[in-house]
């Protein structure tokens, strides 16, 4: 049976503003997404019996609850496809790190199986499916750096510089639900425009709450701030700083404590997943 191997890239929230809480309990956000050339990897092998089998176990995550399995079954149901898949996950992105591991895996599953099963539903439909799985999934499905509003589903593509980032991975998993339910969370930041973002505006409204609750994140921010302005991505726990080149980022990375995981990656406006899919399409047409 045909197989397909695709990346599931990390993302950074370069800023995250919370404008208010909606009647349905969700929050109105403004955030800026950029991808990294670093992430998980998924291998898909088609099955003729319709079964979805994730071969890689994640500690504490039931097979049927995994976003990868849920994405595959959602695509089956919405497309009427009778094929199944064996899926293997090479996991590099931390859970609860705020760099989009689960959402990116789900998006890669939707796009990968759409390609493998030849359902050809298109990015708009797949992004719609992705929103049913999580607010961050559509940005990974669309694959372009974006200014996001609403709960994160209204996306406006943007062109950003593509610096190198040093990302520190504190060894703690932050609960998004816990942070968004904290009474001390800022929920009244005024709306801004894309133009002000290009002028360097923006912060992460979740960061003060996470720093208070998780000293590991606070310590990582303090450490990185010795070298460059440091910021938290999403609801944490990962923190990052930007550098003009890989050499500078690597130099600071080498100065971090040996027991503090970190990685260096370049920011990308077009995700590595979409670059690979475009390459595959070119190979077929060529």
């Amino acid at each position: 049976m045909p197989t397909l191997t695709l990346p599931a890239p990390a993302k950074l929230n370069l800023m995250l503003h919370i404008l208010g809480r909606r009647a349905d309990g969700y929050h109105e956000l403004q955030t800026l997404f950029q991808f990294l050339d670093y992430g998980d990897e998924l291998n898909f092998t088609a099955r003729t019996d319709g079964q979805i089998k994730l071969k890689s176990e994640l500690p504490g995550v039931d097979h049927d609850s995994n976003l990868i399995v849920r994405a595959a079954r959602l695509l089956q149901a919405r497309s009427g496809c009778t094929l199944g898949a064996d899926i293997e996950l090479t996991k590099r992105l931390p859970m609860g790190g705020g760099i989009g591991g689960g959402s990116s895996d789900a998006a890669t599953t939707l796009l990968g199986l759409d390609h493998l099963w030849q359902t050809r539903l298109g990015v708009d439909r797949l992004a719609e499916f992705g929103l049913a799985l999580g607010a961050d999934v559509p940005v990974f499905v669309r694959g372009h750096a974006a200014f996001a509003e609403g709960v994160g589903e209204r996306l406006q593509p943007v062109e950003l510089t593509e610096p190198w980032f040093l990302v520190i991975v504190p060894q703690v998993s932050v609960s998004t639900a816990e942070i968004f339910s904290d009474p001390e969370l800022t929920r009244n930041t005024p709306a801004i425009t894309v133009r002000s973002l290009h002028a360097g505006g923006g912060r992460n409204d979740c960061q003060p709450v996470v720093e208070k609750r998780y000293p590991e994140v606070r310590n990582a921010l303090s450490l990185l701030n010795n070298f460059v302005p440091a910021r938290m991505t999403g609801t944490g726990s990962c923190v990052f700083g930007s550098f003009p080149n890989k050499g500078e980022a690597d130099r600071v990375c080498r100065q971090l404590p040996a027991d503090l995981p970190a990685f260096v990656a370049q920011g990308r406006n077009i995700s590595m997943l979409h670059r690979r899919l475009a390459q595959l399409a070119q190979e077929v047409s060529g």
Side-chain angles (χ1 to χ4, degrees):
M1 295 298 293
T3 64
L4 180 64
T5 300
L6 293 172
K11 60 83 176 168
L12 293 178
N13 294 85
L14 302 181
M15 51 76 66
L16 174 58
H17 290 179
I18 302 172
L19 280 55
R21 196 201 296 261
R22 306 187 334 174
D24 61 7
Y26 286 96
H27 287 77
E28 285 285 335
L29 309 174
Q30 288 186 318
T31 189
L32 186 64
F33 290 108
Q34 189 173 38
F35 304 102
L36 298 177
D37 61 355
Y38 177 89
D40 295 343
E41 187 175 82
L42 286 98
N43 181 267
F44 305 95
T45 303
R47 298 175 62 106
T48 57
D49 61 4
Q51 291 192 60
I52 302 297
K53 292 193 174 181
L54 179 59
K55 302 288 192 177
S56 315
E57 289 186 12
L58 285 180
V61 181
D62 178 70
H63 176 275
D64 290 355
S65 300
N66 192 295
L67 276 174
I68 294 169
V69 175
R70 290 172 56 200
R73 289 178 174 161
L74 181 62
L75 182 60
Q76 273 183 325
R78 299 283 178 90
S79 69
C81 182
T82 59
L83 294 174
D86 288 328
I87 307 172
E88 294 179 57
L89 168 67
T90 302
K91 191 69 182 159
R92 299 187 183 97
L93 303 180
M95 297 173 66
I99 52 178
S103 296
S104 187
D105 291 343
T108 293
T109 300
L110 290 171
L111 286 159
L113 292 180
D114 180 65
H115 179 92
L116 192 66
W117 292 342
Q118 294 294 290
T119 47
R120 296 188 177 92
L121 293 178
V123 167
D124 288 343
R125 290 285 305 283
L126 295 175
E128 180 189 321
F129 298 170
L131 186 58
L133 298 165
D136 283 355
V137 180
V139 73
F140 288 103
V141 171
R142 295 193 179 279
H144 200 293
F147 180 59
E149 299 182 275
V151 296
E153 86 286 4
R154 297 203 307 272
L155 301 170
Q156 180 179 341
V158 293
E159 293 297 328
L160 306 170
T161 58
E162 297 183 326
W164 287 84
F165 292 100
L166 170 57
V167 182
I168 297 179
V169 187
Q171 295 301 281
V172 59
S173 178
V174 174
S175 164
T176 298
E178 175 188 308
I179 301 308
F180 275 109
S181 63
D182 192 299
E184 295 185 20
L185 180 68
T186 297
R187 295 183 173 86
N188 60 354
T189 296
I192 61 171
T193 64
V194 173
R195 184 176 298 172
S196 64
L197 282 176
H198 286 299
R203 61 177 185 272
N204 187 334
D205 283 337
C206 295
Q207 187 170 310
V209 173
V210 176
E211 284 193 71
K212 185 174 180 179
R213 286 173 170 263
Y214 296 89
E216 299 91 343
V217 176
R218 183 172 66 249
N219 293 340
L221 284 161
S222 176
L223 179 62
L224 190 54
N225 268 319
N226 291 323
F227 302 97
V228 290
R231 190 170 294 180
M232 188 182 78
T233 176
T235 53
S237 60
C238 291
V239 305
F240 66 92
S242 67
F243 296 81
N245 56 64
K246 185 176 187 296
E248 287 290 306
D250 284 336
R251 182 182 63 80
V252 173
C253 191
R254 289 193 294 269
Q255 296 180 60
L256 298 176
D259 61 350
L260 185 59
F263 64 88
V264 170
Q266 188 173 12
R268 294 292 191 180
N269 291 330
I270 303 297
S271 85
M272 304 311 290
L273 169 61
H274 281 258
R275 290 168 187 260
R276 178 61 183 142
L277 288 170
Q279 185 181 26
L280 288 171
Q282 207 168 34
E283 289 170 4
V284 170
S285 62

